[in-house]
Amino acid sequence: MGSTGEDVLIAKAQSGDDVAYEQLLAQLMEPAHKLACGMLHDTHLAEDAVQEAAVRAWRRLKNLRDGSPIRPWFLGIVANQCRETHRGHWSRLMLSRDLAPIVVEDANEAAIQRLEVRRLLERLGKRERLIVVLHYYLELPWPEIAAISGLSEAGARSRLYRALTKLRPTNQATVTT
């Protein structure tokens, strides 16, 4: 959808047209869910976070600046909702438990790699994980990553570099064992 088509849908949605809002969100639900899954590592929590973000975005739609694309704005709301979910009582309880060992029988190599990547991501802080997910999972351009994360492009790139640096020693230790 071109930016003028998106602008028309945004204007309609801002005036209360829920069908236009649904059309705008339809193209954003997959990246929003990927982002939430990457940050929360729980499909059910991710679905809840995206739904709550959609409601919050509907309420705040008038705050979207004229001519601004909706994707970075909405994904920023999703990222904030994921942060709030992490701060919630149940999330603190879940994060305080020791990770259960992964038992894999007759699984293919790709499944094992996905599990290892997930474990590595869980070791990152929320802010670093956000940048990794936006860059590698969603493959967003740097200006959008910066807008969603609330950083400059240089700051987002720097945070990605730090995250990858943290992952390298852990990854090498995993490979050698």
Side-chain angles (χ1 to χ4, degrees):
M1 177 182 312
S3 63
T4 56
E6 183 177 273
D7 291 341
V8 170
L9 284 175
I10 290 171
K12 286 181 178 180
Q14 285 176 328
S15 67
D17 185 341
D18 58 342
V19 173
Y21 183 67
E22 288 175 15
Q23 289 175 340
L24 284 168
L25 280 191
Q27 63 188 356
L28 300 173
M29 295 312 285
E30 182 180 348
H33 189 260
K34 284 182 180 179
L35 172 61
C37 283
M39 291 185 70
L40 298 172
H41 299 290
D42 181 299
T43 303
H44 299 294
L45 286 177
E47 289 171 1
D48 291 345
V50 171
Q51 288 175 357
E52 182 62 30
V55 171
R56 287 181 178 198
W58 174 250
R59 291 181 187 147
R60 299 177 185 162
L61 195 56
K62 293 191 188 277
N63 294 344
L64 181 62
R65 293 184 186 137
D66 288 338
S68 295
I70 195 165
R71 184 169 69 174
W73 179 79
F74 180 68
L75 292 179
I77 293 172
V78 171
N80 287 336
Q81 184 61 42
C82 289
R83 287 185 202 106
E84 283 186 31
T85 299
H86 267 293
R87 286 190 290 262
H89 174 71
W90 289 108
S91 180
R92 281 195 304 273
L93 287 175
M94 288 178 8
L95 291 174
S96 66
R97 295 188 319 222
D98 291 332
L99 289 174
I102 298 174
V103 178
V104 179
E105 295 181 21
D106 298 321
N108 64 28
E109 186 63 30
I112 293 170
Q113 288 176 348
R114 283 193 301 274
L115 291 171
E116 287 302 317
V117 168
R118 186 174 179 166
R119 281 219 168 174
L120 289 171
L121 283 175
E122 287 174 349
R123 294 178 182 173
L124 292 176
K126 290 174 267 192
R127 291 180 177 149
E128 292 165 330
R129 188 180 317 142
L130 171 64
I131 301 299
V132 170
V133 170
L134 292 173
H135 183 71
Y136 289 108
Y137 281 43
L138 299 179
E139 299 177 352
L140 295 181
W142 284 108
E144 285 189 38
I145 292 172
I148 293 165
S149 63
L151 299 168
S152 66
E153 284 185 50
R157 288 175 190 266
S158 176
R159 188 164 289 165
L160 178 65
Y161 175 78
R162 285 192 308 269
L164 294 177
T165 301
K166 282 183 179 179
L167 291 177
R168 280 189 188 108
T170 305
N171 194 11
Q172 290 171 355
T174 304
V175 171
T176 59
T177 53

